[in-house]
Amino acid sequence: MSERKSYKTDVSDERWALVEPVIIAWKGAHPSVSGHQGRYEMREIVNALLYQGRTGCQWDLLPHDFPPPGAVKYYFYIWRDDGTDQTIHDLLRWQVREKTGRKADPSLVVLDTQSVHAAAGVPAGSTGRDAAKKVAGRKRGLAVDILGLVIAVVVAAASAHDNAVGIALLDKVAADTDAVEKALVDQGFKNAVVVHGEKVGIAVEVVERNPAQSGFVAQPKRWVVERAYGILMLPRRLVRDYEHRPRSSESRVYWAMTAVILRRLTGATTPAWRTA
């Protein structure tokens, strides 16, 4: 790594050791025609992506001691399109689960959605208005395990019904693993999700709210997905949807959770942004 003053989002040597093998394998599978090994260190590309995700800065406002924005963009987009972003995330997620004595893939997932405002410049064709939550933008759907780790993510227009997002999530979960047997959802999901779950071999249970309760009340097991959404509000790039393509928005979720998982695996903490 080139000599520079470190940022709080930089991966430590210990964290980079967990990511580097995937990057090395990727580079081996994508050799340059000219045999050139690349001008920029892959660790610095990853550092730049984590910095941008945490701070929310625009591409052109990345600090000058990172690789040029064009180079960082190139790897963000190519890793988004070939699934390397999810591969890195999933391999690390499996390690977290195994570290806690669980199997690599879960048997239970929890589904939920979150609507967020879209930033100016986001194409109107991929956004909409969530009438119930009065949010104009996009809807994020998550499937998480009992630890709150992301199993699948789907981003759609905020106007999309929870059923459509839930069905897409079930399809992704079923495509990625055959271990999931059950999914918990809230009452925003209707019978269409339950029926589709039967088609893909996942039993969907609608967790009904106690009518005697008022305000927000954490529901057993289902609360882990609420916590996951709370964690995703810490990276400023995810406070709004700034991405032109929904797939880019999904990639941002994977990178944000990758940073969280790396901290869990190494037992490290990230210094607070505010000091006393």
Side-chain angles (χ1 to χ4, degrees):
M1 182 186 293
S2 57
E3 291 295 330
R4 64 167 174 79
K5 184 177 179 180
S6 64
Y7 295 100
K8 293 179 179 179
T9 50
D10 285 352
V11 290
S12 63
D13 291 344
E14 190 178 7
R15 297 181 198 178
W16 176 241
L18 296 171
V19 177
E20 187 179 22
V22 184
I23 303 297
I24 291 175
W26 180 87
K27 286 183 70 68
H30 299 79
S32 170
V33 175
S34 64
H36 193 268
Q37 293 301 308
R39 183 180 304 175
Y40 309 107
E41 294 184 35
M42 292 294 96
R43 182 170 176 175
E44 285 293 73
I45 297 293
V46 171
N47 280 336
L49 290 175
L50 297 182
Y51 176 94
Q52 186 185 41
R54 190 64 174 82
T55 64
C57 71
Q58 296 170 320
W59 287 111
D60 290 342
L61 294 181
L62 280 170
H64 295 299
D65 46 7
F66 281 131
V72 183
K73 275 186 190 180
Y74 169 80
Y75 286 104
F76 174 76
Y77 292 141
I78 198 169
W79 289 341
R80 173 200 69 186
D81 293 340
D82 69 11
T84 299
D85 53 358
Q86 185 177 350
T87 297
I88 293 171
H89 168 273
D90 288 354
L91 288 172
L92 295 173
R93 168 170 57 79
W94 293 337
Q95 291 183 54
V96 172
R97 289 185 53 82
E98 290 172 348
K99 188 177 181 180
T100 60
R102 300 174 183 272
K103 294 181 179 179
D105 288 316
S107 59
L108 171 73
V109 293
V110 185
L111 276 54
D112 204 353
T113 64
Q114 175 195 53
S115 294
V116 293
H117 292 280
V122 174
S126 63
T127 64
R129 180 176 177 79
D130 184 332
K133 298 179 181 177
K134 299 180 174 59
V135 172
R138 287 195 176 128
K139 181 173 289 186
R140 295 181 190 135
L142 290 185
V144 305
D145 66 8
I146 201 65
L147 301 177
L149 302 175
V150 172
I151 306 301
V153 54
V154 169
V155 175
S159 54
H161 195 280
D162 282 1
N163 276 348
V165 177
I167 289 171
L169 282 171
L170 288 174
D171 283 340
K172 277 197 171 185
V173 170
D176 289 346
T177 174
D178 58 2
V180 175
E181 300 173 352
K182 186 175 183 179
L184 302 180
V185 300
D186 66 15
Q187 292 173 274
F189 295 86
K190 306 303 179 183
N191 287 339
V193 176
V194 177
V195 172
H196 190 75
E198 294 175 354
K199 293 179 180 178
V200 297
I202 300 175
V204 178
E205 178 184 337
V206 179
V207 180
E208 297 186 1
R209 179 189 177 92
N210 185 339
Q213 297 174 334
S214 60
F216 174 76
V217 178
Q219 301 297 320
K221 294 186 179 180
R222 277 208 67 258
W223 71 272
V224 294
V225 71
E226 304 290 352
R227 183 183 64 180
Y229 279 122
I231 290 172
L232 291 178
M233 286 293 96
L234 296 176
R236 292 185 179 180
R237 190 79 182 192
L238 292 175
V239 172
R240 284 179 177 267
D241 198 320
Y242 293 94
E243 313 304 330
H244 278 216
R245 297 186 184 182
R247 180 62 186 88
S248 293
S249 302
E250 295 169 7
S251 184
R252 293 291 182 184
V253 172
Y254 284 125
W255 281 112
M257 290 305 296
T258 291
V260 172
I261 291 171
L262 285 171
R263 292 196 295 272
R264 291 189 185 183
L265 283 173
T266 57
T269 59
T270 296
W273 290 87
R274 297 184 180 87
T275 56

